[in-house]
Amino acid sequence: MNDCLFCKIIAGEIPSNKVYEDDLCYAFYDINPLAPTHFLVIPKVHLASAAEVTEETAPVVGHIYAVIAKLAKELGIAEGYRVVTNVGALAGQTVHHLHFHVLSGKELGSFN
Ligand code: AMP
Ligand code: ZN
């Protein structure tokens, strides 16, 4: 997608603080962290949100969760972290490229 901020980050056209990259996904620290550790994991394929995931594209989501588990161990947050993906303006989605927030390092409180 030409005008997508996160596609530009994947392409290296906009700088980011990279955590991890492979053929399917890219991880980088959030520019406005909401917890001591806050990074985003995004698929390299452009999907606007989790609402666009299909049976065809679902494997990349599973892969992203495996990457998150690996990164959590490497970054020392495996004891507790939260994975969040916002869908749509009502949920607070501001960037329309599927992304998984990974938050840790403070008491996150209950979420219900
Ligand atoms: P959401 O509100 O769920 O769409 O989350 C978008 C996230 O992207 C926010 O937490 C922003 O702080 C983050 N963000 C926006 N621009 C950048 C950027 N250039 N580099 C890193 N994170 C960004
Ligand atoms: Zn994109």
Side-chain angles (χ1 to χ4, degrees):
M1 250 223 181
N2 287 340
D3 217 29
C4 171
L5 174 66
F6 286 175
C7 282
K8 287 179 179 165
I9 283 179
I10 292 165
E13 291 165 17
I14 290 175
S16 66
N17 192 357
K18 181 164 102 175
V19 179
Y20 173 84
E21 178 176 16
D22 63 27
D23 287 349
L24 296 175
C25 71
Y26 189 92
F28 56 107
Y29 285 105
D30 198 291
I31 205 168
N32 180 28
L34 300 177
T37 299
H38 184 180
F39 62 91
L40 304 172
V41 188
I42 64 179
K44 287 193 169 173
V45 61
H46 179 90
L47 299 168
S49 76
E52 278 200 357
V53 176
T54 61
E55 292 292 348
E56 194 188 346
T57 53
V60 76
V61 176
H63 174 70
I64 282 173
Y65 270 88
V67 165
I68 289 170
K70 182 171 89 82
L71 293 177
K73 289 187 192 108
E74 287 175 9
L75 296 173
I77 61 165
E79 189 187 346
Y81 57 94
R82 180 171 290 162
V83 183
V84 175
T85 187
N86 295 319
V87 178
L90 273 180
Q93 185 181 8
T94 58
V95 179
H96 296 280
H97 180 126
L98 175 61
H99 51 282
F100 295 87
H101 296 260
V102 182
L103 301 136
S104 186
K106 69 172 186 184
E107 192 62 52
L108 292 165
S110 66
F111 184 77
N112 50 37

